[in-house]
Amino acid sequence: MSTAPEHTAQRETLGFQTEVSKLLHLMIHSLYSNPEIFLRELVSNASDAADKLRFEALSDASLLADEPELGIWIEIDKDAGTLTLRDNGIGMSRDEVVRNLGTIARSGTAEFLQKLSGDQKKDSQLIGQFGVGFYSSFVVADRVSLVTRRAGLPADQAVRWESEGTGEFTVETVSDARRGTAITLHLRESAREFADSWRVRSIISKYAEHIELPVHLRKPSVKEGEVGEWEVVNQAKALWTRPRTELSDDDYQGFYKHIAHAMDDALGWSHNKVEGKLEYTSLLYVPGRAPFDLYQREGVRGLKLYVQRVFIMDDAEQFLPLYLRFIKGVVDSADLPLNVSRELLQSSDVIDSMKSALTKRALDMIAKLADDPDKYATFYAAFGQVLKEGIGEDHANQERVAKLLRFASTANDGTQSVSLAQYVERMKPGQDTIYFLTADNHAKASQSPHLEVFRKKGVEVLLLVDRIDEWMMSYLSSFDGRKFQHVGKGEIDLSTIEGGDADSDPVLSEEQSKQAESLVARLKKSLGERVKDVRVTTRLSESPTCLVLDAFDMGFQMRQLMEAAGQKLPESKPILEINPVHRLVERLAAESDEARFADLAEVLLDQAALAEGAQLEDPAAYVRRVQRLLQAL
Ligand code: ADP
Ligand code: MG
């Protein structure tokens, strides 16, 4: 009795999911400078198909039985302008064909497509972050047809899929005795170069030299009417199983592009064979570019997991902490069972020890990138923010991660390039604290009145302007034995630090101190609820006033983050600090008209907030006060 419902045998014409149509259009128009990518993607799919079959065959050996040698076969018909790539991997059922080659299942795809600008150059970079896949065939072909039969299904359940890549495809059930998938590309006039076997051969050696699967290429026939012989054109030995000494940079980069579906080179890699209590080989890469879903919760992450060379799964997330989710690579274990599941991975001592070793390897690999400052700058721009999550999340490696951080500072031009080690090296005699300031952006940070005394003393201050910085600093209390201090929080005491323009530190006479004290009392009374406290400061030299927070108060950025996350926070009031030797403050002290004193006091408070780049709660009241004061001039 036939189990197939009748309609499935018919030829059906179906529309691509909207996202696919958009992606197809985009690919065809933006990948013209890199059309060879299609071959890498097809080889990669064939290799995945072989991996999946080997995996399923672990529990059902009959799936492999009729054709146990797995491989890829590429045939070119120069005259017809076609290229056919066949694999004898897992294949697809009719349902799978419709799902896999008619839709995109990846989450975040719609958002990704919205980001596209229509500018082909920019978009082609974005598409590189997304990963192109099967649909890249249409970059070089105006018609693609595919015949596939799923392993385990009978010969009359093969499927033929065909499309011109313009919005529709057809599927029909056909007969084909061969297991796996054969894809035929009808090359565009402009892509006839791919009907040349030398060209194809050179692309294969770039991307498929080191996959486990042999790639056979049919040699062009010498005589007309004769069929050329098959020739294996790659090493067909998994790269990570080979000794480092035998491998060149090009080998590593080619393999990286294969596993990461990347367009550009990796920034670095680390290849290690571990023997002893645990046995595994790992090959980790630092990508040159962030993927589009780096900050998406469901984003794709993790390493490719093999057990004794058998592929087990993509995206095994358990081997690295979340803050290293951008690392790509392969891990091949000799200790895990072949039937290891995601659940099992979550609670295994083997995994825990591997994770901690791989984390250190990854951090070392990143540290090594710093030998080349340009490379490191590229790395840091792409992944620096993610790395910062590690300060809060990975206590055991906090110091290692801290070493990898880079900041702007008052001693540089605003690029994030100062390491904490450099800062410590440049500390002044007598300085035992690492000073930093957080702000929304570099302009605000570098203008902050809190920096005045540090400039005068010649003490460097780190300028932290990433959204995550304040959160991170709440976890980072010291580096290399030195404590951190926010220059806008708590009391600042630079008296032990030598050098700079120290002699000009204001030393108040007894008379001045008394005056300052009474001014402080008047201000407290006048400003009342608006401030937590008023005090005399040593922070300032040019500005009359500034706002500071108590040492353990939550900073402005953190408040914003937490409020955005829906948390209700108690109101926090600033401390107003005054510079008693500033002319405006002296004027304030001399003001006998109480109404004008109140106006001046409020204006100085608001200006201190403005100087920090904060928004005034009542800007209209501020303007009215300034106008009253100006009119009285
Ligand atoms: P990805 O490989 O990232 O999943 P692709 O666009 O390359 O995305 O392929 C989409 C899906 O089509 C694959 O996940 C796979 O299920 C299926 N597929 C593609 N090529 C083959 C093949 N040669 N054999 C079996 N399945 C395939
Ligand atoms: Mg693919």
Side-chain angles (χ1 to χ4, degrees):
M1 201 181 84
S2 164
T3 51
E6 234 200 309
H7 76 272
T8 59
Q10 289 167 2
R11 190 179 150 103
E12 265 185 292
T13 301
L14 297 168
F16 285 119
Q17 182 194 25
T18 326
E19 276 84 2
V20 176
S21 293
K22 282 194 189 158
L23 200 63
L24 275 172
H25 180 82
L26 173 72
M27 255 178 224
I28 294 167
H29 291 92
S30 62
L31 280 181
Y32 55 83
S33 59
N34 210 355
E36 65 181 49
I37 290 291
F38 83 93
L39 200 51
R40 182 192 80 194
E41 293 299 320
L42 296 185
V43 166
S44 151
N45 285 348
S47 150
D48 291 349
D51 281 343
K52 284 181 200 159
L53 178 59
R54 278 197 206 101
F55 184 69
E56 286 196 15
L58 291 175
S59 49
D60 179 1
S62 74
L63 292 179
L64 266 174
D66 49 343
E67 213 183 338
E69 298 297 325
L70 300 181
I72 296 176
W73 291 264
I74 300 176
E75 231 172 319
I76 286 165
D77 184 336
K78 213 167 183 148
D79 298 331
T82 61
L83 180 151
T84 300
L85 186 146
R86 184 172 78 81
D87 66 68
N88 56 358
I90 191 75
M92 286 177 272
S93 68
R94 184 167 174 142
D95 284 350
E96 286 169 331
V97 168
V98 171
R99 188 160 8 99
N100 295 334
L101 307 184
T103 63
I104 304 175
R106 256 178 107 170
S107 63
T109 303
E111 289 97 307
F112 166 77
L113 286 167
Q114 274 180 352
K115 276 201 265 179
L116 299 172
S117 60
D119 175 339
Q120 294 182 355
K121 215 164 153 198
K122 276 195 211 139
D123 287 351
S124 71
Q125 299 220 329
L126 275 172
I127 198 102
Q129 289 175 284
F130 183 78
V132 290
F134 170 80
Y135 301 111
S136 60
S137 313
F138 290 101
V139 173
V140 296
D142 48 21
R143 185 153 60 93
V144 175
S145 59
L146 168 155
V147 175
T148 182
R149 178 170 70 77
R150 182 126 187 11
L153 288 181
D156 65 357
Q157 300 269 314
V159 186
R160 192 184 151 78
W161 178 100
E162 190 166 292
S163 176
E164 293 176 359
T166 47
E168 291 179 342
F169 60 90
T170 60
V171 273
E172 89 191 278
T173 301
V174 296
S175 259
D176 187 3
R178 292 184 304 185
R179 179 190 68 217
T181 305
I183 299 173
T184 300
L185 307 183
H186 299 265
L187 297 168
R188 294 176 193 276
E189 215 40 71
S190 57
R192 287 298 174 101
E193 62 186 292
F194 300 107
D196 179 88
S197 67
W198 282 106
R199 178 85 172 98
V200 168
R201 208 187 166 116
S202 82
I203 302 171
I204 295 296
S205 72
K206 191 152 142 199
Y207 299 117
E209 181 67 7
H210 299 290
I211 62 171
E212 186 76 33
L213 210 57
V215 178
H216 310 258
L217 188 62
R218 173 96 79 185
K219 274 192 192 163
S221 52
V222 194
K223 280 195 211 136
E224 200 163 339
E226 226 176 50
V227 195
E229 283 165 31
W230 288 110
E231 184 189 8
V232 175
V233 294
N234 64 340
Q235 291 234 15
K237 192 159 189 309
L239 177 120
W240 68 90
T241 63
R242 303 185 53 203
R244 274 190 297 216
T245 47
E246 274 181 21
L247 296 164
S248 68
D249 286 3
D250 280 351
D251 290 334
Y252 281 111
Q253 292 288 15
F255 189 70
Y256 165 71
K257 287 177 181 144
H258 162 73
I259 60 160
H261 299 267
M263 306 258 188
D264 30 25
D265 281 353
L267 292 175
W269 55 86
S270 171
H271 181 192
N272 298 283
K273 201 175 159 97
V274 176
E275 274 159 342
K277 225 175 110 215
L278 285 180
E279 247 175 71
Y280 63 90
T281 301
S282 62
L283 173 54
L284 307 179
Y285 287 98
V286 183
R289 192 192 289 279
F292 81 103
D293 51 8
L294 186 59
Y295 292 103
Q296 283 171 14
R297 208 177 273 271
E298 329 75 26
V300 180
R301 57 192 60 146
L303 304 176
K304 252 178 171 345
L305 172 64
Y306 290 75
V307 170
Q308 295 163 42
R309 310 261 293 280
V310 178
F311 169 79
I312 305 295
M313 66 179 82
D314 274 314
D315 321 322
E317 307 160 352
Q318 294 79 0
F319 294 94
L320 287 171
L322 198 57
Y323 72 94
L324 294 175
R325 59 185 174 271
F326 54 87
I327 301 284
K328 298 276 180 208
V330 172
V331 53
D332 187 348
S333 159
D335 307 299
L336 292 168
L338 276 165
N339 62 355
V340 64
S341 62
R342 283 193 191 268
E343 292 68 43
L344 203 112
L345 286 180
Q346 261 146 30
S347 57
S348 143
D349 292 344
V350 174
I351 302 292
D352 289 348
S353 353
M354 285 173 75
K355 181 176 181 176
S356 102
L358 289 168
T359 302
K360 291 206 175 75
R361 286 242 189 267
L363 293 174
D364 285 348
M365 161 172 71
I366 295 169
K368 235 197 242 136
L369 290 181
D371 294 345
D372 178 340
D374 286 344
K375 232 185 216 181
Y376 202 75
T378 305
F379 161 77
Y380 204 73
F383 305 114
Q385 303 240 27
V386 187
L387 205 58
K388 288 176 179 178
E389 297 170 12
I391 294 290
E393 284 166 9
D394 189 355
H395 200 76
N397 289 302
Q398 195 186 62
E399 184 99 2
R400 278 171 205 270
V401 178
K403 280 186 189 153
L404 302 175
L405 301 178
R406 298 291 184 272
F407 302 102
S409 91
T410 50
N412 84 355
D413 59 357
T415 53
Q416 304 203 330
S417 61
V418 180
S419 70
L420 292 174
Q422 264 170 334
Y423 181 97
V424 168
E425 214 178 272
R426 295 203 285 244
M427 280 176 27
K428 294 264 161 194
Q431 180 184 353
D432 59 3
T433 303
I434 301 172
Y435 293 103
F436 71 96
L437 173 69
T438 53
D440 290 352
N441 56 50
H442 185 259
K444 278 187 194 173
S446 58
Q447 299 297 317
S448 167
H450 293 136
L451 296 174
E452 288 173 11
V453 64
F454 292 90
R455 289 228 166 85
K456 211 167 88 183
K457 280 266 194 179
V459 172
E460 184 172 5
V461 177
L462 299 174
L463 306 177
L464 277 52
V465 297
D466 283 342
R467 264 170 65 93
I468 190 175
D469 285 340
E470 224 169 70
W471 174 88
M472 172 180 77
M473 293 311 291
S474 70
Y475 288 92
L476 191 61
S477 58
S478 69
F479 176 79
D480 199 10
R482 274 80 168 187
K483 292 240 168 297
F484 285 94
Q485 187 177 1
H486 191 303
V487 300
K489 282 189 186 181
E491 309 238 18
I492 298 284
D493 179 9
L494 302 184
S495 62
T496 59
I497 300 177
E498 295 163 26
D501 198 0
D503 296 343
S504 64
D505 276 359
V507 179
L508 300 185
S509 66
E510 213 168 301
E511 169 80 20
Q512 281 174 313
S513 297
K514 251 204 190 142
Q515 260 186 10
E517 250 170 62
S518 79
L519 176 60
V520 163
R522 263 177 98 191
L523 278 170
K524 275 190 200 168
K525 210 170 130 208
S526 176
L527 293 171
E529 289 296 294
R530 289 198 63 194
V531 291
K532 190 169 181 177
D533 198 7
V534 179
R535 63 191 184 210
V536 173
T537 188
T538 53
R539 275 189 173 90
L540 302 173
S541 57
E542 275 109 61
S543 302
T545 52
C546 68
L547 296 181
V548 300
L549 292 172
D550 258 349
F552 298 105
D553 272 356
M554 189 181 290
F556 183 64
Q557 266 186 334
M558 268 287 260
R559 283 190 86 80
Q560 277 187 327
L561 275 181
M562 297 187 66
E563 278 167 358
Q567 299 233 24
K568 276 223 156 56
L569 300 169
E571 201 197 339
S572 114
K573 284 185 216 159
I575 297 164
L576 179 69
E577 290 198 346
I578 59 168
N579 175 4
V581 295
H582 193 279
R583 272 199 55 202
L584 265 178
V585 176
E586 286 174 348
R587 255 216 60 201
L588 185 67
E591 184 57 65
S592 55
D593 179 334
E594 283 308 319
R596 200 167 312 147
F597 179 89
D599 272 350
L600 253 175
E602 300 252 4
V603 164
L604 286 177
L605 175 64
D606 283 345
Q607 286 189 342
L610 287 172
E612 289 203 32
Q615 307 259 347
L616 295 184
E617 253 166 52
D618 189 354
Y622 170 76
V623 171
R624 274 198 307 278
R625 282 188 201 109
V626 171
Q627 281 169 353
R628 274 205 297 273
L629 289 168
L630 288 175
Q631 276 162 16
L633 279 181

